[in-house]
C-alpha cells in the first residue's frame, strides 16, 4: 500500500485523473471524505501547504505539491517528478502607476510566502519588512498595509481586477511528485513503478 497526500482542489482532481488513466479504476473522493482507498493506493486530501508535513513525517509515502510550497517549506523531501500541472508564477506586484522604491530604508511586503520573499530580497541586498498574511494578499497594498506584495499569479486576473501589476517574477512553479526518504527506500519498487507509469502519462 502506498499512501499519497494530495492538495485539495484542482491539483488533486488532475492527479486522480492521471491515476484513472493509468489504472482504469475510478479515483474519486466521496462527498467530504478525506481518505480514498483504491487497490494498493490510499489517497489523503490535505491543505496545499500541509502536504510537505504529511510526507516528511511519513503519514504519507508520497505527495503532490507545488514547487512554491516546497521552496517555502524547504523540508528534506525527495523531488521525484515535475507533473507539469498547477502551473503558476510567484511574483512581486504593486499598484498600477507605482514603482518599487529601492531607496526606502525598508520595503514593506505582504505575502503568504515569507521565506521565498526573504530569500529573494536578501539576494538583492534589499531590506524588507514582511507582513505575513494567509490570503487575499492583493487587498493589502490597496489599503496601505504594504508597499508591494509577493503572491501567486496564475491567470493574472486577481491582480488586474484589483489594479495591481507584476513588476518582477521570482520563480515559476508547477506541481511535483515528492517522496518521503524512508518510504523511498522501504517501498522503492512500488514507488519507482508508479513514477515510470506517471512519467509516461504526462
Ligand atoms: C491565489 C493567489 C492569488 C490568486 C492568483 O489565491 O494568492 O490571489 O490565486 O490567481 P489568478 O492570477 O488566476 O487570479 P487563492 O485562490 O489561493 O486564494 P487566497 O488569496 O485566499 O490564498
Amino acid at each position: 500500500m502506498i499512501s499519497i497526500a494530495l492538495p485539495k482542489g484542482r491539483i488533486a482532481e488532475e492527479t486522480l485523473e492521471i491515476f484513472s488513466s493509468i489504472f482504469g479504476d475510478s479515483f474519486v473522493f466521496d462527498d467530504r471524505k478525506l481518505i480514498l482507498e483504491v487497490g494498493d493506493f490510499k489517497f489523503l486530501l490535505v491543505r496545499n501547504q500541509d502536504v510537505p508535513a504529511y510526507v516528511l513525517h511519513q503519514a504519507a509515502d508520497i505527495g503532490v505539491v507545488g514547487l512554491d510550497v516546497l521552496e517555502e517549506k524547504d523540508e528534506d523531501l525527495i523531488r521525484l517528478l515535475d507533473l507539469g500541472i498547477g502551473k503558476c508564477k510567484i511574483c512581486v506586484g504593486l499598484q498600477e502607476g507605482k514603482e518599487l522604491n529601492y531607496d526606502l530604508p525598508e520595503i514593506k511586503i505582504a505575502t503568504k510566502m515569507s521565506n521565498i520573499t526573504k530569500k529573494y530580497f536578501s539576494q538583492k541586498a534589499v531590506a524588507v519588512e514582511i507582513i505575513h498574511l494567509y490570503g487575499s494578499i492583493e487587498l493589502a497594498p490597496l489599503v496601505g498595509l504594504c508597499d508591494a506584495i509577493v503572491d501567486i499569479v496564475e491567470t493574472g486576473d486577481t491582480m488586474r481586477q484589483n489594479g495591481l501589476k507584476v513588476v518582477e517574477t521570482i520563480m515559476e512553479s508547477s506541481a511535483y511528485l515528492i517522496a518521503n526518504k524512508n518510504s523511498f527506500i522501504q517501498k522503492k519498487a512500488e514507488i519507482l513503478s508508479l513514477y515510470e507509469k506517471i512519467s509516461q502519462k504526462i
Side-chain angles (χ1 to χ4, degrees):
M1 173 79 82
I2 297 182
S3 55
I4 305 157
L6 296 179
K8 278 182 181 174
R10 213 168 64 219
I11 291 179
E13 284 164 24
E14 289 186 31
T15 306
L16 292 169
E17 280 166 21
I18 295 173
F19 273 80
S20 294
S21 73
I22 294 171
F23 298 101
D25 301 286
S26 151
F27 289 82
V28 180
F29 276 87
D30 288 336
D31 190 33
R32 303 269 161 183
K33 288 262 188 176
L34 299 173
I35 296 187
L36 164 70
E37 280 193 39
V38 182
D40 289 332
F41 302 111
K42 183 198 273 186
F43 295 93
L44 315 176
L45 210 50
V46 311
R47 278 294 297 267
N48 192 28
Q49 294 93 331
D50 294 337
V51 171
Y54 278 83
V55 178
L56 182 71
H57 297 284
Q58 217 176 2
D61 297 306
I62 61 175
V64 174
V65 67
L67 183 60
D68 55 327
V69 176
L70 287 176
E71 292 290 323
E72 178 66 21
K73 303 277 180 196
D74 197 23
E75 303 283 17
D76 195 12
L77 298 160
I78 301 174
R79 295 179 189 182
L80 287 173
L81 185 64
D82 179 357
L83 296 173
I85 57 176
K87 285 190 177 164
C88 61
K89 290 177 180 175
I90 309 305
C91 298
V92 181
L94 51 87
Q95 281 159 287
E96 284 289 359
K98 292 199 177 175
E99 295 303 323
L100 208 52
N101 182 3
Y102 285 110
D103 293 334
L104 288 173
E106 209 169 45
I107 300 174
K108 250 194 225 175
I109 307 234
T111 186
K112 51 186 166 189
M113 284 164 294
S114 299
N115 293 330
I116 290 175
T117 304
K118 269 184 217 153
K119 199 169 158 192
Y120 178 72
F121 284 99
S122 81
Q123 279 165 355
K124 290 165 79 85
V126 171
V128 291
E129 181 192 340
I130 309 247
I131 298 169
H132 191 92
L133 299 177
Y134 295 91
S136 298
I137 315 294
E138 291 83 355
L139 174 64
L142 306 183
V143 293
L145 181 58
C146 60
D147 302 311
I149 61 169
V150 167
D151 201 16
I152 296 162
V153 176
E154 210 180 318
T155 60
D157 286 347
T158 313
M159 282 220 193
R160 249 190 316 276
Q161 292 295 342
N162 290 289
L164 305 180
K165 62 178 175 182
V166 169
V167 285
E168 288 167 33
T169 296
I170 298 180
M171 62 175 285
E172 310 229 331
S173 177
S174 52
Y176 273 63
L177 186 67
I178 59 166
N180 171 279
K181 286 192 157 180
N182 291 325
S183 295
F184 189 68
I185 293 164
Q186 292 156 359
K187 302 184 181 181
K188 194 161 189 176
E190 291 129 285
I191 292 176
L192 283 181
S193 149
L194 185 60
Y195 166 90
E196 289 291 332
K197 291 189 174 101
I198 295 176
S199 319
Q200 284 160 17
K201 281 286 170 188
I202 59 172

